[in-house]
Coordinates of all heavy atoms in Angstrom, one line a residue:
L27 N 6.8 -0.9 2.1 CA 8.1 -0.3 2.2 C 9.1 -1.3 2.7 O 10.2 -1.0 3.0 CB 8.1 0.9 3.2 CG 7.2 2.1 2.7 CD1 7.1 3.1 3.8 CD2 7.7 2.7 1.4
G28 N 8.7 -2.6 2.7 CA 9.6 -3.6 3.2 C 10.6 -4.1 2.2 O 10.7 -3.6 1.1
S29 N 11.4 -5.1 2.6 CA 12.4 -5.7 1.8 C 11.7 -6.3 0.5 O 10.6 -6.8 0.6 CB 13.1 -6.8 2.6 OG 13.9 -7.5 1.7
R30 N 12.4 -6.4 -0.5 CA 11.8 -6.9 -1.8 C 12.3 -8.3 -2.1 O 12.5 -8.7 -3.3 CB 12.2 -5.9 -2.9 CG 11.4 -4.6 -2.7 CD 11.7 -3.6 -3.6 NE 10.9 -2.4 -3.3 CZ 11.2 -1.2 -3.5 NH1 12.3 -0.9 -4.1 NH2 10.4 -0.2 -3.2
T31 N 12.5 -9.1 -1.1 CA 12.8 -10.5 -1.3 C 11.5 -11.3 -1.3 O 10.5 -10.9 -0.8 CB 13.7 -11.1 -0.1 OG1 12.9 -11.0 1.1 CG2 15.0 -10.3 0.0
L32 N 11.5 -12.5 -1.9 CA 10.3 -13.3 -2.1 C 9.8 -13.7 -0.7 O 8.6 -13.6 -0.4 CB 10.7 -14.6 -2.9 CG 9.5 -15.5 -3.1 CD1 8.3 -14.9 -3.7 CD2 10.0 -16.7 -3.9
E33 N 10.7 -14.0 0.2 CA 10.3 -14.4 1.6 C 9.6 -13.3 2.3 O 8.6 -13.5 3.0 CB 11.5 -14.9 2.4 CG 11.2 -15.5 3.7 CD 10.2 -16.7 3.6 OE1 10.3 -17.5 2.7 OE2 9.4 -16.8 4.5
D34 N 10.1 -12.1 2.2 CA 9.5 -11.0 2.9 C 8.1 -10.6 2.3 O 7.2 -10.2 3.0 CB 10.4 -9.8 2.9 CG 11.5 -9.9 3.9 OD1 11.4 -10.7 4.9 OD2 12.6 -9.3 3.7
L35 N 8.0 -10.7 1.0 CA 6.7 -10.4 0.3 C 5.7 -11.5 0.7 O 4.6 -11.1 1.1 CB 6.9 -10.4 -1.2 CG 7.6 -9.2 -1.8 CD1 8.0 -9.5 -3.3 CD2 6.8 -8.0 -1.7
R36 N 6.1 -12.7 0.8 CA 5.3 -13.8 1.2 C 4.8 -13.6 2.6 O 3.6 -13.8 2.9 CB 6.1 -15.1 1.0 CG 5.2 -16.4 1.2 CD 6.0 -17.6 1.2 NE 6.8 -17.8 -0.1 CZ 8.1 -18.1 -0.1 NH1 8.8 -18.3 1.0 NH2 8.7 -18.2 -1.2
R37 N 5.8 -13.3 3.5 CA 5.4 -13.1 4.9 C 4.5 -11.9 5.1 O 3.6 -11.9 6.0 CB 6.7 -12.8 5.7 CG 6.9 -13.9 6.8 CD 8.1 -13.5 7.7 NE 9.2 -14.4 7.3 CZ 10.4 -14.0 7.0 NH1 10.7 -12.8 7.1 NH2 11.3 -14.9 6.7
Y38 N 4.7 -10.8 4.3 CA 3.8 -9.6 4.4 C 2.4 -10.0 4.3 O 1.5 -9.5 4.9 CB 4.3 -8.6 3.4 CG 3.6 -7.3 3.4 CD1 4.0 -6.4 4.4 CD2 2.6 -6.9 2.6 CE1 3.4 -5.1 4.5 CE2 2.0 -5.7 2.6 CZ 2.4 -4.8 3.6 OH 1.8 -3.5 3.6
I39 N 2.1 -11.0 3.4 CA 0.7 -11.4 3.1 C 0.3 -12.5 4.1 O -0.7 -12.4 4.7 CB 0.6 -11.9 1.7 CG1 0.9 -10.7 0.7 CG2 -0.8 -12.5 1.4 CD1 0.0 -9.5 0.8
S40 N 1.1 -13.5 4.2 CA 0.7 -14.7 5.0 C 0.6 -14.4 6.5 O -0.3 -14.9 7.2 CB 1.6 -15.9 4.8 OG 2.9 -15.5 5.3
E41 N 1.4 -13.5 7.0 CA 1.4 -13.1 8.4 C 0.6 -11.8 8.6 O 0.6 -11.3 9.7 CB 2.8 -12.9 9.0 CG 3.6 -14.2 8.9 CD 5.1 -14.0 9.4 OE1 5.4 -13.0 9.9 OE2 5.8 -15.0 9.2
R42 N -0.1 -11.3 7.6 CA -0.9 -10.2 7.6 C -0.2 -8.9 8.2 O -0.8 -8.2 9.0 CB -2.2 -10.4 8.4 CG -3.0 -11.6 7.7 CD -4.2 -11.9 8.5 NE -5.2 -10.9 8.5 CZ -6.3 -10.8 7.7 NH1 -6.4 -11.6 6.7 NH2 -7.1 -9.8 7.8
K43 N 1.1 -8.8 7.9 CA 1.9 -7.7 8.3 C 1.3 -6.3 7.8 O 1.6 -5.3 8.4 CB 3.3 -7.8 8.0 CG 4.0 -8.9 8.7 CD 5.5 -9.0 8.4 CE 6.2 -10.0 9.3 NZ 7.6 -10.0 9.1
W44 N 0.6 -6.4 6.8 CA 0.0 -5.2 6.2 C -1.0 -4.5 7.1 O -1.2 -3.3 7.0 CB -0.7 -5.5 4.8 CG -1.7 -6.6 4.9 CD1 -1.4 -7.9 4.6 CD2 -3.1 -6.5 5.1 NE1 -2.6 -8.6 4.7 CE2 -3.6 -7.8 5.0 CE3 -3.9 -5.4 5.5 CZ2 -4.9 -8.1 5.3 CZ3 -5.2 -5.7 5.7 CH2 -5.7 -7.0 5.6
E45 N -1.5 -5.3 8.1 CA -2.5 -4.7 9.0 C -1.8 -3.6 10.0 O -2.4 -2.7 10.5 CB -3.1 -5.8 9.9 CG -4.1 -6.6 9.1 CD -4.7 -7.7 9.9 OE1 -4.1 -8.2 10.8 OE2 -5.8 -8.2 9.5
A46 N -0.5 -3.8 10.2 CA 0.3 -2.9 11.0 C 0.7 -1.6 10.3 O 1.2 -0.6 10.9 CB 1.5 -3.5 11.6
V47 N 0.5 -1.5 9.0 CA 0.9 -0.4 8.2 C -0.3 0.6 8.1 O -1.5 0.2 7.8 CB 1.3 -0.8 6.8 CG1 1.7 0.4 5.9 CG2 2.5 -1.8 6.9
E48 N 0.0 1.9 8.3 CA -1.1 2.9 8.2 C -1.6 3.0 6.7 O -0.8 3.1 5.8 CB -0.5 4.2 8.6 CG -1.5 5.4 8.7 CD -2.4 5.3 9.9 OE1 -1.9 4.6 10.9 OE2 -3.5 5.8 9.8
P49 N -2.9 2.9 6.6 CA -3.5 3.0 5.2 C -3.3 4.4 4.6 O -3.1 5.4 5.4 CB -5.0 2.8 5.4 CG -5.1 2.2 6.7 CD -4.0 2.7 7.6
V50 N -3.3 4.5 3.3 CA -3.2 5.8 2.6 C -4.4 6.6 3.1 O -5.5 6.1 3.1 CB -3.2 5.6 1.1 CG1 -3.2 6.9 0.4 CG2 -1.9 4.8 0.7
A51 N -4.2 7.9 3.4 CA -5.3 8.8 3.8 C -6.4 8.8 2.8 O -6.1 8.7 1.6 CB -4.8 10.2 4.1
G52 N -7.6 9.0 3.2 CA -8.8 9.0 2.3 C -8.7 9.9 1.1 O -9.0 9.5 0.0
W53 N -8.2 11.1 1.3 CA -8.1 12.1 0.2 C -7.0 11.7 -0.7 O -7.0 12.2 -1.9 CB -8.0 13.5 0.8 CG -6.7 13.8 1.5 CD1 -6.5 13.6 2.8 CD2 -5.5 14.3 1.0 NE1 -5.2 13.9 3.1 CE2 -4.6 14.4 2.0 CE3 -5.1 14.8 -0.3 CZ2 -3.3 14.9 1.8 CZ3 -3.9 15.3 -0.5 CH2 -3.0 15.3 0.6
K54 N -6.0 10.9 -0.3 CA -4.9 10.5 -1.1 C -5.1 9.1 -1.7 O -4.3 8.6 -2.4 CB -3.6 10.5 -0.3 CG -3.1 11.9 0.0 CD -1.9 11.8 1.0 CE -0.6 11.8 0.3 NZ 0.5 11.8 1.3
S55 N -6.2 8.5 -1.4 CA -6.5 7.2 -1.9 C -6.7 7.2 -3.4 O -7.3 8.2 -3.9 CB -7.8 6.7 -1.2 OG -8.2 5.4 -1.8
P56 N -6.2 6.2 -4.1 CA -6.3 6.2 -5.6 C -7.7 6.3 -6.1 O -7.9 6.8 -7.2 CB -5.6 4.9 -6.0 CG -4.7 4.6 -4.9 CD -5.3 5.2 -3.6
S57 N -8.7 6.0 -5.3 CA -10.1 6.0 -5.8 C -10.8 7.4 -5.4 O -11.9 7.5 -5.7 CB -10.9 4.9 -5.2 OG -10.8 4.9 -3.8
S58 N -10.0 8.3 -4.8 CA -10.7 9.6 -4.4 C -10.8 10.5 -5.5 O -10.1 10.4 -6.6 CB -9.8 10.2 -3.2 OG -8.6 10.7 -3.7
I59 N -11.6 11.5 -5.4 CA -11.8 12.6 -6.4 C -10.5 13.3 -6.6 O -10.1 13.7 -7.7 CB -12.9 13.6 -5.9 CG1 -14.2 12.9 -5.8 CG2 -13.0 14.8 -6.8 CD1 -14.8 12.5 -7.1
M60 N -9.7 13.6 -5.5 CA -8.5 14.3 -5.6 C -7.5 13.6 -6.5 O -6.8 14.2 -7.3 CB -7.9 14.5 -4.2 CG -6.6 15.1 -4.1 SD -6.8 16.9 -4.2 CE -5.4 17.4 -3.4
M61 N -7.4 12.3 -6.3 CA -6.4 11.5 -7.1 C -6.9 11.3 -8.5 O -6.1 11.1 -9.5 CB -6.1 10.2 -6.4 CG -5.2 10.4 -5.2 SD -3.6 11.1 -5.5 CE -3.7 12.6 -4.5
H62 N -8.2 11.4 -8.7 CA -8.8 11.4 -10.1 C -8.3 12.6 -10.8 O -7.9 12.5 -12.0 CB -10.3 11.3 -10.0 CG -11.0 11.2 -11.3 ND1 -10.9 10.1 -12.1 CD2 -11.6 12.2 -12.0 CE1 -11.6 10.4 -13.3 NE2 -12.0 11.6 -13.2
G63 N -8.3 13.8 -10.1 CA -7.8 15.0 -10.7 C -6.3 14.9 -11.0 O -5.9 15.4 -12.0
M64 N -5.6 14.3 -10.1 CA -4.1 14.1 -10.3 C -3.9 13.3 -11.5 O -3.0 13.6 -12.3 CB -3.5 13.5 -9.0 CG -2.0 13.4 -9.1 SD -1.2 15.0 -9.0 CE -1.4 15.4 -7.3
A65 N -4.7 12.2 -11.7 CA -4.5 11.4 -12.9 C -4.7 12.2 -14.2 O -4.0 12.1 -15.1 CB -5.5 10.2 -12.9
G66 N -5.7 13.1 -14.1 CA -6.0 14.0 -15.2 C -4.8 14.9 -15.5 O -4.5 15.2 -16.7
L67 N -4.1 15.4 -14.5 CA -3.0 16.3 -14.7 C -1.8 15.5 -15.3 O -1.1 16.0 -16.2 CB -2.5 16.9 -13.4 CG -3.4 18.0 -12.8 CD1 -2.9 18.4 -11.4 CD2 -3.4 19.2 -13.7
F68 N -1.6 14.3 -14.9 CA -0.6 13.4 -15.5 C -0.9 13.2 -17.0 O 0.0 13.2 -17.8 CB -0.4 12.1 -14.8 CG 0.5 12.3 -13.6 CD1 0.2 13.1 -12.5 CD2 1.7 11.6 -13.6 CE1 1.1 13.2 -11.4 CE2 2.6 11.7 -12.5 CZ 2.3 12.5 -11.4

């Protein structure tokens, strides 16, 4: 959800800022059964 500048994208990875972001809940994870069903609906 950060800024979309090259520097901010680079920092997000290099400084591991992603570790401070809450992961997507298990049932909403793209690899879950629930989201597999959602893909089918789309």
Side-chain angles (χ1 to χ4, degrees):
L27 298 172
S29 170
R30 293 175 177 154
T31 64
L32 179 57
E33 187 57 36
D34 284 337
L35 289 166
R36 189 183 305 130
R37 240 188 255 127
Y38 187 77
I39 298 300
S40 65
E41 296 176 11
R42 300 176 67 94
K43 290 186 175 187
W44 52 269
E45 290 177 335
V47 177
E48 187 73 27
V50 174
W53 66 275
K54 287 171 92 176
S55 174
S57 57
S58 72
I59 296 289
M60 178 79 155
M61 290 297 122
H62 181 73
M64 186 66 77
L67 288 175
F68 274 65

